[in-house]
Amino acid sequence: PLLYVLLIAGIIALILQEWVDAGVIFAVVIINAVVGYIQEAKAEQAMAALAKSMVTEAKVIRVGEQRKIPAAELVPGDLVCLEAGDKIPADLRLVAAKNLQIDESALTGESVTVSKTTAPIEANTNLNVSLGDRINLAFAGTIATAGQGQGLVVAIGEQTETGKISEMLEQRVNLTTPLTRKLETLSWQLLYVILGLAALILAIGIGQGKSFLEMFQTAIALAVSGIPEELPSLVTVVLAIGVSRMAGRHAIIRKLPAVETLGNATVICSDKTGTLTENQMTVEQIYAGDRRYDVSGTGYSLAGKIFQQGQPIDLADAPALRSCLQCGLLCNKSNLKEHEGRLDVEGDPTEGALIVAAHKAGLTRQTLAQTYPRQDIIPFESEHRYMATLHTVSQKDGQRSIIYVKGATAAVLSRCSHSLDEQGKQISLKAAEIEEVADALAEKGLRVLAFAQKQIAKPAVALDSTMVESGLVFLGLQGMIDPPRREAIQAVQACQEAGIQVKMVTGDHAVTARAIAQMMNITQSQTTQAQTAPHAKQALSGDAMSQMSDEELSNAIENTAVFARVAPAQKLRLIEALQSTGHVVAMTGDGVNDAPALKQADIGIAMGQMGTEVAKEAADIVLSDDNFASIEAAVEEGRTVYLNLKKAIAFVLPVNGGESLTILASVLLNTALPILPLQILWLNMVSSSALSIPLAFEPRPKGVMKLPPRPPHQPLLSAPILWRIGLVSLFNWAVTFGIFEWVMAQTGEPALARTMAVQTLVAAEIFYLLCISRFLPSVIAYLRYQPHLRRSQLEDSQPLVYAPAIGIVCVLLLQILFSQLPLLNRLFHTVPLSLGQATLCLLVGLPVVLVAWILKWQKPLE
């Protein structure tokens, strides 16, 4: 709105044939328009990215023949054939599934592949809630990772689950950030004040007998003086510097106001897999031979050992453990491959964890594969819930065969008759005891697999299910989990200390989500209200959320830190419920299912490595390292940006205040204008801009993450800052009007008086900048401690030393040209100053130091 007033002033200047004034005013408007366009014009590409993610081909059976067609040509009722590696082209009801496993993480957020079946789902299952429970359906956009299958097309286009997310994206509007709302409020408030003063000046002048045209021009001058023309470019520069700093801490900013918004967040809703966790399954505990073992290390790194009661184990002393690890290594279809200096799993993440666990005990597949060559395999199927492999073993007295089996605890135990004791000898099976151990591991959020073997005296080359129906020897259990990132644990704690609630929102099961949350202390009470809530540590499921009214959900979310088995629509509803209670919500996500919530959140944060293009396009920030710790770092930078922006606004507004008061005083006292409109534009667009930009480089204040989040409705300018702006404005008016009147009394030359008035105001700005910035303390610390600083610390501190100095030097040079250059003399109606006159301007502006010291003693500008 302030630029509209400036635009009207330019049009009036054209009507009055003030060509130079009009040209400069329009130049200012154009500059601000370009800046605003660059800042705001962000293409909405989420829909295009979503459409691109669904472009694929489908293998269908039509007229009894299999053919390939574009997925866009599918119709309900088509029979689609699926194989490992295929992208599902539409929503399918499976009619055939052989070892079919599908990665649905982009849609559900669940890290483990889903085993599919053709069996009907139980009648009491709520199909409107959890996509992960629909195991007889395959969804568009997901990936088949193993097996084969066929399915009838039941939904295409917008009717698919991915299409429904597309519709939710279309319905989302781009929310204004707290910063843009506060700047708009400030602009309207300034507009009312400026128009009010302009009307007052017009009335007073006409009452004094002056012409309407003369007073109208004076009113325009006041309007130009009151408008902080440098504010849009200043905001952009401060935010851009924040963007640069965040990029160095792995947070890529897509939308500029998001820099400050993240620092204003009161709640962070974080995805679990890959953000809070490593996204790499890791075996943490093993039970074998009636003994329990702990496994160190995380992810697919081979670093780590196996311990028993804190002591590293020797496999020679633990034959049952060796057999259990050997079974997990050989009854396995996955591989570890090195990629860009790190190990990644090709295949099932669960099987990758078993390979790593065996490596930590010194077992390698290359060695065992030569001793135990594989002959046949029964792949995992959801009907029998186990996998089996047949191996040949060469001995001195000939060859024999051995069968290794892994699978669900109940499925394996039901086929076992014996188990191994700690010496590796067969004993009667203690099924009840083993089940208790498995249940205890599962309660910790671990995914538990059971392992067994069966020896066959005669060599065999084929394996069928009848060979593993009974007579197995139980070898042990391995419990694994996608472990939390260590740095994320610290980051969560830092956010909580900063008064920011952290909530986990995941498509995974409640038991797993609760276990990870407890490891990260997310379930600890985060608010006073939560401290007395009996269910504060419980996970709220998507099913439970669907049965709550909006009011019940708003009450429940305050006391709940973990939300499990949450569908895309429920994520969106959760964000809206938090916003309705006054929270500024940051939301993380990586899948297609996260896109609507990312767009609805005040600040959407997508994962750069594992995230889908749809999620990235819907987000405001992209994390290049997919790490929650980067969010904590970005929050810290965001808070610093807000403090620096507030400091910069508190610096430029007293200049406008001093100019406006000067014009108002000249009207009240019936004197000539001490500063002309063009000179005001020079002050605002050149001097104030160059001096305020160094404030954007101010370092992070100590303890910035110890402060509570700012209330979302707190105004940009608090009462202490308004008091500061008013007092400094009065000083600027006093010295500007005073030097003008003194020079007029001494010389009677308006041009000289106006030139010295402008230079005095700039001198006051320079001294005020030195008082409120950390420039002088940084210089003193730099010079005092330079011999003791490391090179990296010196390099980091240099912008703090040089930025204000460069700004001050530039302004001094520009002001010399402003008064001494003939071209600028003609343009801005100035005259050259002598050395004595310029020195006098500096001395008159110096007392602002005393004003700033009094204000700082009363309340620092932080």
Side-chain angles (χ1 to χ4, degrees):
L2 296 177
L3 290 179
Y4 296 150
V5 175
L6 199 62
L7 188 61
I8 293 171
I11 294 173
I12 294 173
L14 278 179
I15 295 173
L16 299 177
Q17 298 184 356
E18 298 285 347
W19 309 117
V20 176
D21 290 32
V24 174
I25 290 175
F26 283 126
V28 171
V29 172
I30 291 172
I31 290 172
N32 280 292
V34 171
V35 170
Y37 176 80
I38 294 173
Q39 177 179 335
E40 298 296 337
K42 301 295 181 181
E44 287 294 331
Q45 299 173 354
M47 299 309 300
L50 183 62
K52 184 179 179 181
S53 73
M54 296 181 63
V55 173
T56 185
E57 288 188 329
K59 295 187 288 260
V60 300
I61 296 177
R62 287 183 175 174
V63 200
E65 296 181 354
Q66 180 172 310
R67 62 183 70 175
K68 276 189 176 183
I69 64 170
E73 297 180 9
L74 285 174
V75 295
D78 267 331
L79 182 61
V80 178
C81 301
L82 301 175
E83 295 180 355
D86 288 347
K87 177 182 282 189
I88 311 303
D91 283 4
L92 311 176
R93 171 61 167 91
L94 297 173
V95 296
K98 183 177 182 181
N99 191 31
L100 181 61
Q101 297 183 18
I102 296 181
D103 179 3
E104 297 180 345
S105 58
L107 191 61
T108 67
E110 190 171 353
S111 55
V112 179
T113 56
V114 180
S115 297
K116 294 296 183 176
T117 179
T118 59
I121 297 174
E122 295 180 9
N124 61 354
T125 301
N126 187 347
L127 294 181
N128 293 321
V129 176
S130 177
L131 299 178
D133 290 333
R134 307 185 201 181
I135 58 175
N136 59 2
L137 296 179
F139 301 107
T142 59
I143 306 293
T145 59
Q148 298 176 333
Q150 290 183 340
L152 290 171
V153 175
V154 294
I156 59 174
E158 293 183 352
Q159 284 73 44
T160 64
E161 293 300 325
T162 306
K164 292 175 183 177
I165 295 173
S166 165
E167 287 186 331
M168 286 189 284
L169 268 177
E170 283 186 321
Q171 296 166 4
R172 296 303 101 199
V173 297
N174 280 328
L175 298 179
T176 57
T177 67
L179 177 62
T180 55
R181 292 194 293 267
K182 290 175 182 179
L183 286 173
E184 184 177 2
T185 300
L186 176 63
S187 296
W188 282 109
Q189 291 171 344
L190 288 174
L191 177 62
Y192 295 146
V193 172
I194 291 168
L195 293 180
L197 288 175
L200 177 63
I201 285 177
L202 188 63
I204 292 174
I206 293 175
Q208 292 174 344
K210 296 181 181 179
S211 68
F212 176 82
L213 182 61
E214 179 185 359
M215 292 314 304
F216 192 71
Q217 289 177 311
T218 304
I220 291 176
L222 184 135
V224 172
S225 69
I227 296 174
E229 293 87 2
E230 68 275 44
L231 189 57
S233 57
L234 174 62
V235 171
T236 302
V237 169
V238 174
L239 295 179
I241 291 171
V243 167
S244 177
R245 287 178 171 177
M246 286 186 178
R249 304 182 79 173
H250 308 290
I252 310 302
I253 308 299
R254 294 188 62 252
K255 299 176 183 178
L256 210 53
V259 178
E260 182 275 338
T261 308
L262 188 57
N264 199 31
T266 60
V267 175
I268 299 176
C269 294
S270 177
D271 187 27
K272 176 182 71 69
T273 304
T275 308
L276 296 173
T277 66
E278 297 280 357
N279 198 22
Q280 296 180 344
M281 296 298 288
T282 304
V283 174
E284 290 194 340
Q285 293 191 356
I286 302 174
Y287 173 79
D290 293 330
R291 291 183 178 181
R292 301 189 186 214
Y293 301 90
D294 297 315
V295 185
S296 65
T298 60
Y300 301 137
S301 170
L302 302 182
K305 294 182 179 180
I306 300 178
F307 298 87
Q308 204 252 329
Q309 295 183 347
Q311 298 297 320
I313 58 94
D314 184 347
L315 283 186
D317 300 327
L321 173 63
R322 179 186 179 92
S323 297
C324 181
L325 292 171
Q326 186 167 303
C327 178
L329 187 59
L330 294 176
C331 188
N332 197 308
K333 296 191 302 178
S334 301
N335 295 288
L336 291 179
K337 296 290 185 180
E338 187 172 346
H339 178 68
E340 296 182 355
R342 66 175 185 177
L343 289 174
D344 289 326
V345 64
E346 287 186 350
D348 193 326
T350 300
E351 292 188 332
L354 299 176
I355 298 173
V356 173
H359 269 273
K360 291 175 180 177
L363 300 178
T364 61
R365 176 176 288 178
Q366 291 80 357
T367 302
L368 290 178
Q370 295 175 0
T371 308
Y372 298 86
R374 180 185 296 177
Q375 301 297 327
D376 200 4
I377 182 174
I378 297 177
F380 179 89
E381 292 187 9
S382 56
E383 288 83 356
H384 49 60
R385 301 176 65 200
Y386 69 82
M387 171 185 174
T389 55
L390 175 66
H391 302 263
T392 301
V393 183
S394 298
Q395 295 180 327
K396 294 180 180 179
D397 55 350
Q399 290 187 332
R400 60 182 176 85
S401 294
I402 186 170
I403 301 172
Y404 285 120
V405 180
K406 80 169 189 292
T409 304
V412 173
L413 280 180
S414 65
R415 292 167 169 81
C416 292
S417 58
H418 294 82
S419 64
L420 296 183
D421 64 9
E422 58 186 62
Q423 281 79 36
K425 296 178 180 180
Q426 291 189 17
I427 58 174
S428 297
L429 183 69
K430 302 176 183 177
E433 182 179 326
I434 295 171
E435 288 174 351
E436 287 182 7
V437 174
D439 290 342
L441 294 176
E443 287 176 0
K444 296 179 180 179
L446 300 179
R447 186 184 187 196
V448 182
L449 289 181
F451 301 84
Q453 68 180 30
K454 183 177 182 179
Q455 298 195 23
I456 304 175
K458 296 181 180 180
V461 294
L463 181 63
D464 60 62
S465 58
T466 60
M467 299 170 67
V468 294
E469 284 302 310
S470 62
L472 301 184
V473 177
F474 176 78
L475 301 177
L477 304 170
Q478 294 192 47
M480 63 194 70
I481 197 170
D482 182 9
R485 297 174 182 258
R486 292 182 180 178
E487 60 272 28
I489 295 175
Q490 298 173 352
V492 167
Q493 181 180 356
C495 287
Q496 290 173 344
E497 290 176 352
I500 303 172
Q501 297 183 42
V502 180
K503 298 182 184 293
M504 179 191 294
V505 184
T506 178
D508 220 334
H509 292 279
V511 173
T512 304
R514 248 193 327 262
I516 295 295
Q518 289 172 350
M519 294 179 192
M520 306 193 71
N521 293 324
I522 289 179
T523 52
Q524 287 182 338
S525 300
Q526 300 178 39
T527 64
T528 303
Q529 183 180 6
Q531 291 174 358
T532 58
H535 62 285
K537 294 189 177 183
Q538 298 299 317
L540 187 63
S541 68
D543 287 336
M545 289 175 58
S546 66
Q547 298 171 12
M548 292 180 175
S549 66
D550 291 342
E551 184 178 354
E552 290 173 336
L553 181 60
S554 296
N555 293 331
I557 57 178
E558 288 295 333
N559 304 324
T560 306
V562 181
F563 301 84
R565 303 301 276 173
V566 178
Q570 291 164 344
K571 289 185 178 182
L572 192 59
R573 189 180 174 212
L574 175 63
I575 299 299
E576 291 173 336
L578 286 166
Q579 290 172 332
S580 69
T581 59
H583 284 293
V584 176
V585 184
M587 168 74 189
T588 74
D590 55 5
V592 174
N593 62 320
D594 297 317
L598 289 173
K599 193 171 183 182
Q600 174 65 29
D602 296 284
I603 184 78
I605 306 170
M607 303 299 109
Q609 295 180 352
M610 303 297 294
T612 61
E613 290 302 315
V614 180
K616 295 175 188 176
E617 292 297 335
D620 306 291
I621 295 176
V622 178
L623 300 184
S624 61
D625 61 350
D626 291 10
N627 195 335
F628 187 89
S630 297
I631 301 176
E632 183 260 335
V635 169
E636 186 178 40
E637 293 293 348
R639 291 187 170 191
T640 304
V641 164
Y642 181 80
L643 292 175
N644 289 347
L645 179 60
K646 190 166 64 171
K647 185 181 290 187
I649 292 175
F651 173 77
V652 300
L653 289 185
V655 179
N656 299 98
E659 295 164 350
S660 299
L661 289 174
T662 300
I663 293 175
L664 180 61
S666 69
V667 172
L668 294 175
L669 298 176
N670 199 19
T671 65
L673 286 178
I675 308 178
L676 298 177
L678 277 182
Q679 295 170 346
I680 291 171
L681 287 175
W682 170 273
L683 281 166
N684 292 350
M685 291 301 296
V686 178
S687 302
S688 292
S689 295
L691 291 175
S692 59
I693 286 174
L695 293 173
F697 290 91
E698 292 284 274
R700 294 186 294 275
K702 292 182 180 179
V704 68
M705 288 299 285
K706 302 293 183 182
L707 302 173
R710 298 181 308 277
H713 302 295
Q714 183 186 74
L716 187 63
L717 301 180
S718 59
I721 294 182
L722 289 174
W723 167 253
R724 171 184 289 270
I725 291 173
L727 193 58
V728 178
S729 296
L730 285 173
F731 175 84
N732 288 341
W733 161 75
V735 297
T736 305
F737 193 79
I739 194 73
F740 174 81
E741 289 296 321
W742 183 81
V743 174
M744 284 292 293
Q746 296 294 319
T747 66
E749 299 180 13
L752 176 62
R754 287 173 178 141
T755 304
M756 293 187 67
V758 170
Q759 300 293 38
T760 300
L761 182 55
V762 172
E765 284 188 79
I766 291 175
F767 290 124
Y768 185 52
L769 172 66
L770 292 175
C771 292
I772 68 170
S773 74
R774 299 186 186 179
F775 172 54
L776 292 178
S778 296
V779 172
I780 294 171
Y782 183 79
L783 297 175
R784 182 177 179 183
Y785 299 109
Q786 184 175 358
H788 309 289
L789 293 177
R790 298 191 304 272
R791 180 176 180 84
S792 61
Q793 291 175 307
L794 288 174
E795 291 174 351
D796 290 343
S797 64
Q798 283 180 0
L800 307 180
V801 175
Y802 294 133
I806 292 173
I808 291 172
V809 169
C810 289
V811 167
L812 289 174
L813 292 175
L814 288 170
Q815 291 306 123
I816 291 173
L817 295 176
F818 176 77
S819 62
Q820 307 303 119
L821 192 67
L823 176 62
L824 294 183
N825 290 153
R826 289 194 298 272
L827 184 62
F828 291 100
H829 308 291
T830 58
V831 296
L833 298 181
S834 66
L835 180 61
Q837 292 169 334
T839 304
L840 177 62
C841 294
L842 288 173
L843 292 176
V844 173
L846 183 59
V848 76
V849 174
L850 180 61
V851 177
W853 181 83
I854 295 173
L855 290 169
K856 189 173 184 179
W857 173 75
Q858 180 187 18
K859 186 174 180 61
L861 183 58
E862 294 291 357

